[in-house]
Amino acid sequence: KVAARKVAHAAGVPTVPGTDDPIEKEEDALKFAKEHGYPIIIKAAAVGGGRGMRVANNKKELLEGLVAAGSEAKAAFGNAAVFLERYLANPKHIEVQVLGDNHGNLVHFYERDCSIQRRHQKVVEFAPSLSLTQKTRQELCTAALKIAGQVKYRNAGTVEFLLDQEGNWYFIEMNPRIQVEHTVTEMITGRNLVQNQILIACGHRLSDPEINIPSQSAIDMRGYAIQCRITTEDPANNFAPDFGTLTTYRSAAGCGIRLDAGNAFTGAKITPHYDSLLVKVSSWGLTFQDAAHIMNRALQEFRVRGVKTNIGFLENVVTHPVFLKGNCDTSFIEKHPELLVIREKKDRATKVLTFLGEVIVNGSPGTPRSLKSADLLEARPPEVDITKPRPAGSRDLFMKLGAEGLSKWILEQKKLLITDTTMRDSHQSNLATRVRTYDLLKIAEPTSYLASDIFSLEMWGGATFDVSMRFLKEDPWQRLHKLSELIPNVLFQMLLRGSNAVGYTNYPDNVVERFVEEAAT
């Protein structure tokens, strides 16, 4: 970073006031503080990712910070060198993507706004920046090319700047590599930066057909893109890393969504020695609000269970009014503690599956032993006393009133009349096409007691009849007979799809009519 500052000076690009060389003595640090005043930021010369950085507001913090930042830098990168810069309060962090070939050609891909940070580590990035004027955008992109040209840079790199609250901008560093957030640049420019790097390494020029960038004017921007980093961190516990096994993992998808996945899959073991980045999700829209809306939808579609994540926190960020206006600076998270008020996920699917597993393995009587959720502990299956008289139901009413009388009764009802389709369709015909009559008969008699108040049981239809014969090798008429013996009090109902009747082909009208008569009998 110290060398990069010298390159910027040589290229005529402004930098934040700072030391030209690493600090070797406390006296040098105190001299800088006297000349430029506090606050001062202490930065490790060879470290990235927000490590090795301390802000000092007075002499005591400065001297302590020199030791702490140096120790962290030494442990992380084997280099304890640190330097000082004048600390800019609440700046915006803007970076420009550049690409150079081996023949001296350089282009930029406009800017990304990386101001949403936590402990100097980027959390959410978007492109292009909403807060830049066209003049400032052009100045930053030109400055980035100057710095890259000064060192004859080749391949992908990122030139980073800070903008203070008065609109002044300063170069801070250059990342000589592809970055996590390169996805948003690719989405708004339609360019494949990683592929271009490989082609450049093979000796191609930017102007070659394989890369197809004959000049800067060939790179256009279209729409807006946002990237969120989904991490295995607990926002409610100061973003402490979490670890364990992913019991459930489901990604988002859909128009305008790009996923760059890491080790995320059901069964993956997240260890304490793991970088907390689980998956990157990027969204694109014609407007920034569109991109934010798509991102919010995608975040809500994610299902990650087994470890804590920052998804709820990210949902709060992309729906926050300050974010939607593009006015975030590097203190955005600290300024808005409401971002950490996260709606609790109910995880209903896992709870239901756990309950079903308990019942299947341990049986239904009593309370499942291992369940801890309060809403499931009370789930005791109802007991049915079949020695008592069976409650009267809708079929009893039909036998008493007849067809016309029942029709009139229906019209007079104010309450909702419910038809239960469990025995026919369940979930996509699972019961009708995969469960034998033998299994349905086990629940038939209890159903006649527990569901005596429903209007009808739709327990028969095309799939039932057709699949019963062809796959289950059963007599569908026999199913009707046996179920009607055990549920004599509730009306049965059949699903009839016009001329398809009970199979997956068209039948003549007289066949359909005869079938309905036989079913009714």
Side-chain angles (χ1 to χ4, degrees):
K1 293 181 181 179
V2 172
R5 286 174 57 86
K6 293 179 179 179
V7 169
H9 293 160
V13 174
T15 63
V16 179
T19 56
D20 294 327
D21 297 295
I23 295 294
E24 296 182 356
K25 302 176 183 178
E26 290 183 352
E27 291 79 6
D28 296 333
L30 295 173
K31 181 179 178 182
F32 179 85
K34 185 175 181 180
E35 182 179 349
H36 294 280
Y38 292 99
I40 293 170
I41 187 165
I42 307 158
K43 289 186 176 183
V47 181
R51 286 183 288 183
M53 299 176 72
R54 298 288 189 278
V55 176
N57 295 290
N58 51 54
K59 177 180 176 180
K60 180 176 181 293
E61 292 179 0
L62 175 59
L63 297 180
E64 291 175 350
L66 288 171
V67 176
S71 298
E72 187 173 354
K74 178 70 174 177
F77 283 84
N79 187 339
V82 297
F83 68 102
L84 304 181
E85 282 184 352
R86 182 78 168 85
Y87 180 67
L88 302 181
N90 308 330
K92 289 189 72 66
H93 190 137
I94 306 293
E95 58 189 28
V96 176
Q97 178 72 59
V98 298
L99 186 69
D101 62 21
N102 295 296
H103 308 280
N105 301 302
L106 275 168
V107 292
H108 68 77
F109 293 79
Y110 300 98
E111 84 283 352
R112 299 186 284 260
D113 193 319
C114 304
S115 300
I116 301 178
Q117 303 178 6
R118 184 182 58 80
R119 295 200 291 263
H120 309 293
Q121 180 71 31
K122 300 163 190 172
V123 177
V124 176
E125 302 92 1
F126 56 89
S129 174
L130 274 67
S131 59
L132 291 189
T133 64
Q134 189 57 37
K135 176 177 179 292
T136 303
R137 174 175 290 116
Q138 188 61 49
E139 289 175 353
L140 292 178
C141 292
T142 299
L145 292 179
K146 282 183 180 181
I147 290 173
Q150 186 73 21
V151 295
K152 298 181 174 57
Y153 192 81
R154 62 185 181 183
N155 249 307
T158 307
V159 186
E160 305 199 14
F161 301 90
L162 291 181
L163 276 70
D164 65 20
Q165 295 176 341
E166 286 73 42
N168 303 308
W169 54 267
Y170 307 93
F171 166 77
I172 54 171
E173 64 181 359
M174 182 173 185
N175 273 301
R177 56 177 172 80
I178 203 76
Q179 285 192 278
V180 176
E181 60 271 21
H182 76 279
T183 61
V184 292
T185 295
E186 291 185 336
M187 294 177 85
I188 67 167
T189 61
R191 301 285 182 167
N192 189 328
L193 294 170
V194 175
Q195 182 188 65
N196 288 346
Q197 285 200 121
I198 297 171
L199 292 170
I200 288 170
C202 292
H204 284 282
R205 296 174 181 268
L206 294 179
S207 57
D208 287 352
E210 292 82 356
I211 300 179
N212 193 27
I213 306 178
S215 65
Q216 181 64 55
S217 61
I219 302 172
D220 296 321
M221 284 194 297
R222 179 173 174 80
Y224 293 82
I226 302 169
Q227 179 188 279
C228 288
R229 307 184 187 196
I230 295 179
T231 61
T232 53
E233 296 175 314
D234 182 6
N237 188 24
N238 197 28
F239 292 90
D242 196 21
F243 55 90
T245 300
L246 295 183
T247 57
T248 300
Y249 181 80
R250 189 182 79 206
S251 296
C255 183
I257 288 297
R258 165 177 171 169
L259 296 174
D260 293 68
N263 297 324
F265 55 90
T266 299
K269 295 189 182 303
I270 309 303
T271 74
H273 317 292
Y274 170 78
D275 187 291
S276 61
L277 181 60
L278 196 62
V279 60
K280 299 186 297 182
V281 55
S282 306
S283 66
W284 180 90
L286 279 174
T287 68
F288 186 71
Q289 284 69 26
D290 288 341
H293 179 75
I294 293 169
M295 176 60 76
N296 185 42
R297 184 266 301 168
L299 290 170
Q300 293 181 60
E301 286 184 0
F302 270 92
R303 291 294 182 273
V304 183
R305 304 289 185 252
V307 296
K308 293 181 172 63
T309 72
N310 65 338
I311 291 177
F313 164 76
L314 293 172
E315 290 176 19
N316 290 344
V317 170
V318 300
T319 56
H320 198 282
V322 175
F323 173 82
L324 294 173
K325 292 179 181 178
N327 293 334
C328 304
D329 56 43
T330 55
S331 63
F332 172 68
I333 295 175
E334 289 75 16
K335 286 180 179 176
H336 298 283
E338 67 271 16
L339 295 171
L340 299 177
V341 181
I342 298 168
R343 178 172 54 90
E344 182 182 357
K345 304 292 184 181
K346 297 188 181 298
D347 195 10
R348 291 179 289 256
T350 303
K351 291 174 182 176
V352 170
L353 287 173
T354 303
F355 173 71
L356 292 176
E358 285 283 347
V359 171
I360 291 169
V361 173
N362 299 317
S364 58
T367 302
R369 290 189 297 274
S370 64
L371 292 182
K372 303 300 181 186
S373 175
D375 54 343
L376 289 182
L377 283 174
E378 299 301 320
R380 296 176 181 270
E383 296 181 3
V384 179
D385 185 357
I386 59 175
T387 62
K388 293 183 177 180
R390 183 180 281 107
S394 57
R395 186 173 181 274
D396 297 313
L397 197 62
F398 170 63
M399 300 302 292
K400 177 182 177 181
L401 300 177
E404 290 187 10
L406 181 69
S407 299
K408 183 179 179 182
W409 176 85
I410 291 171
L411 292 174
E412 293 171 349
Q413 299 310 299
K414 301 300 182 183
K415 69 176 182 178
L416 185 66
L417 301 180
I418 294 177
T419 294
D420 179 82
T421 64
T422 301
M423 291 189 184
R424 183 186 70 80
D425 265 340
S426 183
H427 292 286
Q428 291 298 319
S429 296
N430 275 338
L431 284 186
T433 61
R434 291 169 178 80
V435 176
R436 302 164 299 167
T437 300
Y438 173 84
D439 300 304
L440 291 178
L441 294 179
K442 285 187 174 183
I443 66 167
E445 194 164 24
T447 297
S448 70
Y449 283 82
L450 298 172
S452 61
D453 194 40
I454 66 173
F455 175 70
S456 63
L457 283 170
E458 187 175 288
M459 41 62 67
W460 217 55
T464 317
F465 190 92
D466 188 59
V467 176
S468 179
M469 290 193 299
R470 290 200 290 142
F471 293 104
L472 300 179
K473 308 301 182 185
E474 291 188 346
D475 182 348
W477 301 111
Q478 196 67 21
R479 178 179 289 194
L480 268 179
H481 282 300
K482 291 183 176 180
L483 285 173
S484 62
E485 289 174 1
L486 294 175
I487 313 177
N489 56 332
V490 179
L491 286 169
F492 283 2
Q493 185 166 310
M494 178 177 71
L495 176 68
L496 186 70
R497 294 189 179 96
S499 61
N500 284 76
V502 293
Y504 297 101
T505 186
N506 288 334
Y507 296 98
D509 287 351
N510 60 327
V511 173
V512 176
E513 290 168 5
R514 182 71 184 89
F515 177 81
V516 171
E517 291 175 8
E518 184 70 17
T521 301

